Amino acid sequence: DTFRDTPLLDEVGIYRCAIMSRKVDSLGCPIVFPDMTGMIDLALDTLVQRGRRHVATLITLCVYGEVGDYLRHAMRNRGITTHDKWMQIVPHDIPDAVRNNVLMLMNGPDRPDGLFIVDDNLAEGASSGLVMAGVNVPRDVEVVAHCNFPWLAPSVLPMQRVGFDTRQIMETAVNV
């Protein structure tokens, strides 16, 4: 919506393709969108395969607005227990807030045994919070984090990465 009715979208003779998290019919140009639901399924399946049934999530408001309902449904379908307080909607650009939310999650009596970081921008702050909480990853908490390959968000802790190959996304956009 930011560029609607601007020369960026309206100028004749310019090839364009949008990379978005969902399909928008009224944009007026081709759209390449990664399969967010497939990424969520892969992350949750990974946690379940590793015996994790009490899963917290870190997600940004923008991403939550697009996939929050699907995420909750996918967790229920897999028999994963979660709580509203474990569904942490955090800002992507304030690592201290992410760290503090993870500290809060991990210091309670009903601590989750799995953590799904739905936005790679949150991985570094989450890692810091886990370290500060004294949590052993992966013994106490298994972590699965979104990733835009080949760039891995910084983390001092082991975590399974799931996500999208940005080279393939760009190649697809150029070909479209």
Side-chain angles (χ1 to χ4, degrees):
D1 288 336
T2 303
F3 302 109
R4 194 177 306 269
D5 300 321
T6 68
L8 186 62
L9 292 178
D10 297 337
E11 186 72 27
V12 177
I14 297 176
Y15 294 103
R16 55 187 66 83
C17 179
I19 300 172
M20 302 178 69
S21 57
R22 61 181 163 68
K23 186 176 181 180
V24 178
D25 292 327
S26 63
L27 195 56
C29 68
I31 298 171
V32 173
F33 52 98
D35 180 9
M36 290 295 289
T37 58
M39 186 268 298
I40 289 169
D41 289 339
L42 180 59
L44 296 178
D45 288 344
T46 299
L47 288 165
V48 168
Q49 288 167 1
R50 295 181 180 175
R52 307 311 170 132
R53 295 287 183 171
H54 301 90
V55 176
T57 58
L58 291 176
I59 191 167
T60 59
L61 182 58
C62 174
V63 175
Y64 182 80
E66 295 176 3
V67 299
D69 289 340
Y70 181 82
L71 177 60
R72 287 179 181 276
H73 175 75
M75 291 173 92
R76 262 192 318 275
N77 282 350
R78 288 167 174 79
I80 293 173
T81 299
T82 194
H83 306 285
D84 288 340
K85 65 182 177 182
W86 287 359
M87 183 84 55
Q88 294 289 312
I89 301 172
V90 295
H92 74 279
D93 57 348
I94 307 175
D96 289 348
V98 177
R99 180 197 66 218
N100 293 340
N101 281 49
V102 171
L103 271 167
M104 182 181 65
L105 279 171
M106 296 302 150
N107 284 324
D110 58 343
R111 182 170 70 192
D113 63 6
L115 177 63
F116 176 25
I117 303 170
V118 188
D119 184 323
D120 59 346
N121 293 300
L122 308 175
E124 189 171 11
S127 295
S128 177
L130 290 165
V131 168
M132 289 180 74
V135 175
N136 182 303
V137 176
R139 187 189 71 217
D140 300 332
V141 176
E142 187 78 39
V143 180
V144 176
H146 163 260
C147 181
N148 285 308
F149 295 99
W151 184 79
L152 301 178
S155 174
V156 296
L157 300 173
M159 56 180 65
Q160 177 69 43
R161 311 293 179 124
V162 297
F164 311 103
D165 185 332
T166 54
R167 297 166 296 196
Q168 184 180 19
I169 291 171
M170 293 305 295
E171 183 178 318
T172 301
V174 168
N175 288 337
V176 167

